Amino acid sequence: MDVVDVLVLESGSRHPLVSLVSACFWVILWVLSCARALIALITITVPRYIYAILSYSMTLTLNFWNFFIIFVLSAIALNYWIRFRYLNDYTQLKEPPLVKPDVNELHPDVNTDPPPTFHNYLDDFLQAVRVFGFLEKPVRVIRVEGIHFLSFLGLSRTC
């Protein structure tokens, strides 16, 4: 006899209500056995594997050259990581185009009154060098007077 024939004979020989109760009973048993297997997995098997992994001891022996190669490769990897992660951000920046300055907005000394008839080389030197930015005319006069006074006293000024 085939399995299908057995099921047909069983279902045909019993009352349908008895078959329904029997099917529900077998479903409940199947759900309980799945629950037991799942609970056993969660409470016994997984903690056993976690304990086995955490209690595993490993010994690694490296000589100097292996350690040195690992160190150099790590340094190179760190260098490239920093370069591509952080330093490439500056390639995204765009500089504004340089604008040509207006002729009327030249340095104040160029657009001012004509030079005096008395030619002072120290004045020309301070005007050309501009060590402290754009020196105004009164500041230049004070510096020139101070330098003349120091040279009169025989002292040298080093700043």
Side-chain angles (χ1 to χ4, degrees):
M1 268 191 158
D2 197 15
V3 174
V4 178
D5 293 337
V6 171
L7 291 176
V8 169
L9 287 178
E10 273 187 17
S11 65
S13 65
R14 285 198 238 164
H15 192 272
L17 193 57
V18 173
S19 296
L20 178 67
V21 171
S22 174
C24 289
F25 177 74
W26 287 111
V27 167
I28 291 172
L29 282 179
W30 180 80
V31 168
L32 288 176
S33 86
C34 286
R36 182 182 65 84
L38 184 65
I39 291 172
L41 176 75
I42 292 173
T43 59
I44 297 172
T45 309
V46 171
R48 184 186 307 158
Y49 285 137
I50 290 174
Y51 177 75
I53 290 170
L54 292 179
S55 65
Y56 182 75
S57 66
M58 185 174 86
T59 304
L60 180 66
T61 306
L62 292 175
N63 61 12
F64 173 75
W65 293 111
N66 288 340
F67 183 72
F68 181 74
I69 289 171
I70 290 172
F71 178 76
V72 167
L73 291 177
S74 299
I76 290 171
L78 179 68
N79 180 27
Y80 277 107
W81 182 71
I82 289 173
R83 178 174 181 246
F84 289 115
R85 171 80 176 176
Y86 297 108
L87 299 181
N88 274 352
D89 292 341
Y90 295 106
T91 60
Q92 307 296 330
L93 297 177
K94 302 290 184 204
E95 288 187 21
L98 295 176
V99 292
K100 192 171 185 179
D102 189 17
V103 176
N104 296 328
E105 295 180 6
L106 291 175
H107 186 269
D109 289 344
V110 176
N111 288 334
T112 57
D113 53 352
T117 56
F118 174 71
H119 193 68
N120 186 355
Y121 290 105
L122 188 57
D123 251 358
D124 291 344
F125 174 74
L126 287 176
Q127 185 178 4
V129 173
R130 302 187 200 292
V131 175
F132 298 105
F134 299 124
L135 293 176
E136 300 294 330
K137 186 73 172 169
V139 175
R140 227 180 305 124
V141 169
I142 292 171
R143 286 186 59 87
V144 169
E145 288 174 357
I147 291 173
H148 285 301
F149 180 72
L150 288 175
S151 65
F152 174 73
L153 293 177
L155 301 173
S156 66
R157 184 166 176 137
T158 58
C159 56

